[in-house]
Amino acid sequence: MTAPDPDGLLAEQLLRLTRRVHRIQKRHLEHRDLGITPAQSRLLRTLAHYGSPPRMADLAERLEVVPRAVTTLVDGLEAAGKVRRVPDPANRRVIRIELTDDGRAALRELHGARRSAAEEILAPLTGEQRTVLGGLLDTLVDGPGVMPGDRTG
């Protein structure tokens, strides 16, 4: 008989938690009837972090996906009126992506949906447990030696 693999168990727990988070977030998004997929919501959130409209290639790099995936997401969001393609003022061959007013309103709704989902997921934890979990997750996401507040993204 082999000994239990504690790291394997932790990895499985993290994967199960990730799937649960996605399911709950998706349900909260569907209840708000925004017509936005989780991938589109991620693109909108990413877009909101830019000071000026980024190029599609910038979005693809930040999202760590191929440019074609960004094109598909932007096509859907543009059809829904959440983003628009605009020419680059310095190079008219370059197209940039910017949020519309509807896109900003959708972001506010998305934030509410994510907050509701987080509250549901974290409900069983005390404040102290949430603080400890936050610190542990920061270490896992950023690696050792990164101070809180030093994160990017």
Side-chain angles (χ1 to χ4, degrees):
M1 179 148 178
T2 61
D5 175 12
D7 289 340
L9 177 61
L10 283 173
E12 180 61 30
Q13 288 173 309
L14 287 171
L15 290 172
R16 287 176 40 216
L17 177 60
T18 299
R19 287 191 294 267
R20 181 169 182 246
V21 167
H22 283 128
R23 274 193 319 273
I24 290 171
Q25 276 189 304
K26 187 175 180 183
R27 180 170 37 86
H28 281 266
L29 278 175
E30 288 168 353
H31 283 154
R32 290 177 184 257
D33 199 27
L34 294 173
I36 295 175
T37 67
Q40 289 172 330
S41 73
R42 185 171 173 236
L43 186 138
L44 285 174
R45 288 190 321 272
T46 301
L47 191 53
H49 287 286
Y50 283 91
S52 62
R55 299 172 306 133
M56 296 259 231
D58 299 328
L59 288 169
E61 184 178 331
R62 177 82 57 97
L63 293 168
E64 299 178 345
V65 299
V66 297
R68 177 70 188 125
V70 171
T71 300
T72 301
L73 292 171
V74 168
D75 287 347
L77 288 168
E78 186 175 39
K82 308 293 187 235
V83 301
R84 70 177 144 252
R85 288 173 166 93
V86 295
D88 184 301
N91 182 348
R92 67 180 199 185
R93 292 175 296 164
V94 174
I95 299 297
R96 296 189 175 269
I97 308 304
E98 71 179 8
L99 284 169
T100 64
D101 289 341
D102 283 352
R104 283 187 265 295
L107 270 172
R108 287 188 294 275
E109 286 291 319
L110 289 168
H111 180 74
R114 288 171 59 91
R115 186 174 230 20
S116 297
E119 288 170 4
E120 180 178 335
I121 291 163
L122 297 172
L125 301 179
T126 65
E128 184 178 332
Q129 288 172 321
R130 290 177 189 206
T131 300
V132 170
L133 177 61
L136 293 170
L137 290 174
D138 282 345
T139 300
L140 293 175
V141 169
D142 299 327
V146 177
M147 298 301 293
D150 288 348
R151 292 186 305 253
T152 60

